[in-house]
Amino acid sequence: MSPSGAQYQPPSQQDLDRARSDPKLANVLYHDWEAGSYDAKWSISYDQRCIDYAHDRYRHVVDASSAGDQADGPYVRALELGSGTGFFLLNLMQAGVAQQGTLTDISPGMVDVAVRNGRALGLTVDGRSADAEQLPFSDGSFDLVVGHAVLHHIPDVEQALREVLRVLVPGGRFVFCGEPTEHGDFVARRLSRLTWWTTKKITHLPALRARWARPKAELDASSQAAALEALVDLHTFDPDRLAATCMRAGAIDVHTVTEELTASWFGWPVRTFEAAVAPGVLGWGWANFAYRGWQRLSWLDEHLWSQVVPDEWFYNVCVTGRRP
Ligand SMILES: C[S@@+](CC[C@H](N)C(=O)[O-])C[C@H]1O[C@@H](n2cnc3c(N)ncnc32)[C@H](O)[C@@H]1O
């Protein structure tokens, strides 16, 4: 929604053409368009399920870092980059990690939704559209900077990290989670493509079409969104190289962890299947199966596979560090 409350429209062909050579414009167009339906699409909520999810991601990397046994928070002033609808910081605030939140995103549509979500939860938040490479805040403004699934969209990641360190107080911490690894992304994309293609074929069988197939107009809109999405995903990360980028930007106490191996082999096909069938046909039983399945596999990934499989094979990388 725009500040006036109007729904953002799908981008015009002219905008799409310009976005092909301008990843930041592509991000604004794509995420403005997605803002109103983003929480539903990604099953984002602000209840205990997502509070635990966000807090577990945060704790996993902070506890594993060399500073894990030092006092960590609660923080007073927290900033989120690429907040989207506020999933990460709003849920971390509800978990008690920070008291005041500033939600920023290059997409004004996302900032509107994030601030609305935060205020509806009774949290102390403000919001501002901002490019992570050029933050509109003075030096030392925040005690904590966080982000989830944002670094891979930023053209110059090292410049964004320099900005993060600039706006942190000395000793302040940053935590970025949910970034795709090179190997994890390679596998997830192939599994998703195969699922999309197979589901479309099966749901268009005459016996299933009426109930299961998504209307053509919706599939066309999905394909248009997918074309734009392909322009906004700029990077995948090797954990060691991501840590080196943070250190080049000036960070200390840098630490990475990776997460989700079999959980991502399950999760990506599940999400793709959900997007490819008619809305409303899957119901609560499916949602429960999908969530519990993902949860059990994540547990196995963390407690079993992480002991024997190289960390760069996992889907997500999280990184934390501090300003000297
Ligand atoms: C994949 S979404 C993640 C949103 C949210 N953090 C979450 O996990 O649900 C990435 C977000 O990063 C934002 N973004 C992309 N490039 C950016 C940039 N250069 N500066 C700030 N935000 C950016 C997008 O607009 C989008 O809302």
Side-chain angles (χ1 to χ4, degrees):
M1 304 273 262
S2 72
S4 61
Q7 195 81 35
Y8 282 99
Q9 295 300 314
S12 65
Q13 191 55 48
Q14 207 182 10
D15 281 340
L16 284 175
D17 291 341
R18 282 196 299 136
R20 268 181 247 289
S21 55
D22 182 348
K24 289 187 183 174
L25 174 64
N27 263 291
V28 174
L29 293 173
Y30 177 65
H31 289 103
D32 272 356
W33 185 21
E34 291 273 297
S37 54
Y38 197 79
D39 282 349
K41 175 176 173 185
W42 293 99
S43 302
I44 290 174
S45 58
Y46 301 90
D47 54 11
Q48 204 56 47
R49 178 179 65 91
C50 279
I51 294 172
D52 289 346
Y53 180 88
H55 199 209
D56 287 352
R57 308 282 71 70
Y58 174 91
R59 287 255 59 100
H60 191 190
V61 64
V62 171
D63 289 353
S65 78
S66 57
D69 47 4
Q70 293 171 16
D72 177 67
Y75 295 94
V76 179
R77 298 161 304 165
L79 167 71
E80 178 163 22
L81 308 186
S83 66
T85 54
F87 155 72
F88 200 43
L89 183 54
L90 297 182
N91 281 316
L92 289 178
M93 288 174 77
Q94 293 196 92
V97 169
Q99 291 163 12
Q100 300 161 15
T102 297
L103 300 149
T104 66
D105 197 292
I106 201 166
S107 146
M110 286 293 194
V111 177
D112 287 346
V113 177
V115 170
R116 226 179 23 236
N117 282 341
R119 297 204 172 133
L121 293 165
L123 298 170
T124 307
V125 291
D126 56 20
R128 193 150 172 189
S129 55
D131 178 354
E133 288 177 16
Q134 257 181 310
L135 294 173
F137 304 106
S138 45
D139 300 3
S141 302
F142 298 97
D143 307 301
L144 172 72
V145 177
V146 299
H148 184 266
V150 56
L151 294 180
H152 68 284
H153 294 304
I154 300 173
D156 189 343
V157 175
E158 190 176 324
Q159 168 58 21
L161 289 164
R162 273 195 292 272
E163 280 292 89
V164 166
L165 293 167
R166 181 183 67 74
V167 302
L168 274 172
V169 292
R173 176 176 293 283
F174 64 84
V175 176
F176 290 94
C177 293
E179 299 298 338
T181 62
E182 290 166 3
H183 188 278
D185 185 68
F186 179 87
V187 176
R189 279 184 192 276
R190 272 149 193 81
L191 285 174
S192 297
R193 231 173 275 154
L194 183 66
T195 310
W196 181 260
W197 183 84
T198 316
T199 310
K200 255 177 88 173
K201 288 275 171 229
I202 293 175
T203 55
H204 279 80
L205 292 172
L208 299 179
R209 185 178 312 177
R211 184 166 145 68
W212 287 85
R214 275 187 78 168
K216 184 171 175 326
E218 285 184 17
L219 281 177
D220 288 349
S222 275
S223 302
Q224 201 189 353
L228 202 45
E229 194 178 8
L231 302 175
V232 304
D233 289 337
L234 302 181
H235 311 285
T236 54
F237 296 99
D238 169 83
D240 292 341
R241 283 206 291 273
L242 177 58
T245 308
C246 294
M247 288 186 274
R248 272 201 311 277
I252 58 166
D253 291 342
V254 176
H255 197 86
T256 61
V257 294
T258 56
E259 305 177 315
E260 292 196 35
L261 180 72
T262 59
S264 84
W265 299 344
F266 174 77
W268 279 104
V270 162
R271 275 191 287 272
T272 308
F273 176 68
E274 289 167 351
V277 300
V281 290
L282 294 172
W284 185 85
W286 170 269
N288 197 39
F289 154 78
Y291 181 59
R292 298 269 166 245
W294 176 87
Q295 235 181 358
R296 288 192 183 119
L297 291 172
S298 292
W299 188 90
L300 269 186
D301 292 343
E302 187 179 342
H303 294 96
L304 173 65
W305 297 122
S306 65
Q307 313 297 316
V308 288
V309 175
D311 63 348
E312 63 272 20
W313 285 23
F314 284 67
Y315 178 73
N316 278 318
V317 56
C318 308
V319 64
T320 188
R322 292 192 302 112
R323 175 173 169 178

